[in-house]
Amino acid sequence: MSIRDEKNHETSYLKERWQNRSEIVPPDIEDFTSQFNEREQLLKEMEQYASENKVPILLPSAARFLQIICRSKKPENILEIGTGIGYSTLSMLFALKGECHITSVDFNIERIKLAGEFINRAGFSANLIFDDAFNTIRNLLSEGVTFDMIFVDSMKSEYVFMNYKIQSLLKPGGIAIFDNVLFRGYVCNDHPPRYKRSIKLLKMFLSHTRDYPGTITSIIPIGDGLLIIEKQD
Ligand SMILES: C[S@@+](CC[C@H](N)C(=O)[O-])C[C@H]1O[C@@H](n2cnc3c(N)ncnc32)[C@H](O)[C@@H]1O
């Protein structure tokens, strides 16, 4: 890819992405399915906010899938890494009708404040932590806390350094979900040279999780690719 091709590609990608329309699924399919995916008015408002303010959120189709998992697994204690404005947090809270305890961490103060406001408006609560995820993970590990479900939506190049710690925080029978593991399809296709390092780390993470003992892993090509790890009892 020439630098100009790369720039054009990036510009059109970002245009779609900020409208919550595209990662690995073509935008027309994302739009079409979105019409049939029921969701609360507040979540639609957050999608609009994210689009207008260019704030990253979980793609709506992936959020609906996360809700299905929540409804079927009914996790009581959830850890989220990467709160953002709380779109995925609220998606889980709505799915579980607030009958869960969510701890969610982000090192962006503006986003975490906004997340708190959206969650309050919905009449729910969550333990929102303003911190670096690695610090929070270290604290949780030292406190001996474990979770039924862990949802990770932070920096993909850091996933490889989080994997072992996340596995230790997961209860037997629990489930961990990582977003963006297909990184716009770049992990399996050509990619712009500047993503070489992130892609190498992401691939390393995927190999580690595949070989991790006592777990079943699946990659679901929805949103930007969800990796699901089921920790066996
Ligand atoms: C894609 S956004 C999360 C979107 C959110 N899940 C949602 O659906 O609204 C990723 C977030 O991860 C946060 N983040 C990335 N690396 C982090 C780290 N090491 N510690 C804490 N937060 C981190 C960023 O500040 C950003 O808000």
Side-chain angles (χ1 to χ4, degrees):
M1 230 188 245
S2 72
I3 291 186
R4 179 181 289 173
D5 286 348
E6 201 185 297
K7 251 200 156 130
N8 287 341
H9 175 77
E10 188 75 6
T11 309
S12 66
Y13 161 77
L14 283 175
K15 211 169 136 227
E16 303 290 359
R17 181 58 187 95
W18 291 126
Q19 293 167 351
N20 304 313
R21 294 186 73 220
S22 175
E23 291 277 18
I24 50 175
V25 175
D28 51 337
I29 297 184
E30 194 72 48
D31 283 352
F32 182 78
T33 52
S34 176
Q35 298 169 43
F36 296 93
N37 278 337
E38 271 185 41
R39 55 208 185 276
E40 287 71 11
Q41 192 50 42
L42 186 55
L43 291 177
K44 289 186 186 163
E45 190 187 314
M46 292 171 88
E47 289 164 20
Q48 188 66 30
Y49 177 91
S51 165
E52 285 168 8
N53 295 282
K54 300 189 175 9
V55 179
I57 57 168
L58 183 64
L59 271 185
S61 53
R64 301 295 75 75
F65 186 71
L66 186 63
Q67 289 189 310
I68 294 170
I69 293 187
C70 283
R71 281 192 292 266
S72 56
K73 292 279 298 177
K74 299 195 176 17
E76 288 173 5
N77 205 15
I78 302 175
L79 172 65
E80 178 178 57
I81 313 269
T83 320
I85 61 165
Y87 180 76
S88 46
T89 328
L90 252 187
S91 296
M92 293 188 277
L93 282 164
F94 274 127
L96 293 162
K97 300 189 170 71
E99 286 171 13
C100 59
H101 184 265
I102 303 187
T103 300
S104 185
V105 57
D106 203 298
F107 59 19
N108 183 314
I109 189 68
E110 297 306 325
R111 288 187 191 161
I112 214 155
K113 273 189 192 159
L114 205 49
E117 287 168 22
F118 279 122
I119 292 168
N120 279 343
R121 272 182 59 192
F124 296 129
S125 64
N127 174 24
L128 301 183
I129 302 178
F130 165 55
D131 196 2
D132 186 288
F134 286 95
N135 203 26
T136 299
I137 289 172
R138 220 179 356 256
N139 291 340
L140 292 168
L141 281 170
S142 69
E143 288 162 20
V145 191
T146 50
F147 296 88
D148 305 298
M149 183 164 134
I150 302 179
F151 175 60
V152 189
D153 186 14
S154 56
M155 227 173 318
K156 13 186 188 301
S157 54
E158 290 184 341
Y159 287 0
V160 68
F161 309 109
M162 273 180 197
N163 183 36
Y164 296 104
K165 302 180 184 84
I166 294 287
Q167 303 269 6
S168 309
L169 285 173
L170 201 56
K171 280 186 191 157
I175 188 168
I177 303 174
F178 290 78
D179 188 33
N180 304 106
V181 301
L182 294 179
F183 191 5
R184 311 178 194 171
Y186 292 155
V187 281
C188 34
N189 288 317
D190 266 1
H191 55 81
R194 71 172 178 288
Y195 295 130
K196 195 173 165 198
R197 181 180 158 274
S198 313
I199 287 164
K200 195 170 176 193
L201 290 169
L202 195 48
K203 282 185 168 173
M204 206 184 277
F205 162 72
L206 293 176
S207 310
H208 287 184
T209 53
R210 185 187 50 202
D211 301 335
Y212 202 87
T215 60
I216 300 172
T217 62
S218 317
I219 298 179
I220 312 292
I222 189 171
D224 194 24
L226 295 179
L227 174 89
I228 308 208
I229 302 176
E230 297 169 73
K231 185 167 178 174
Q232 292 176 307
D233 271 319

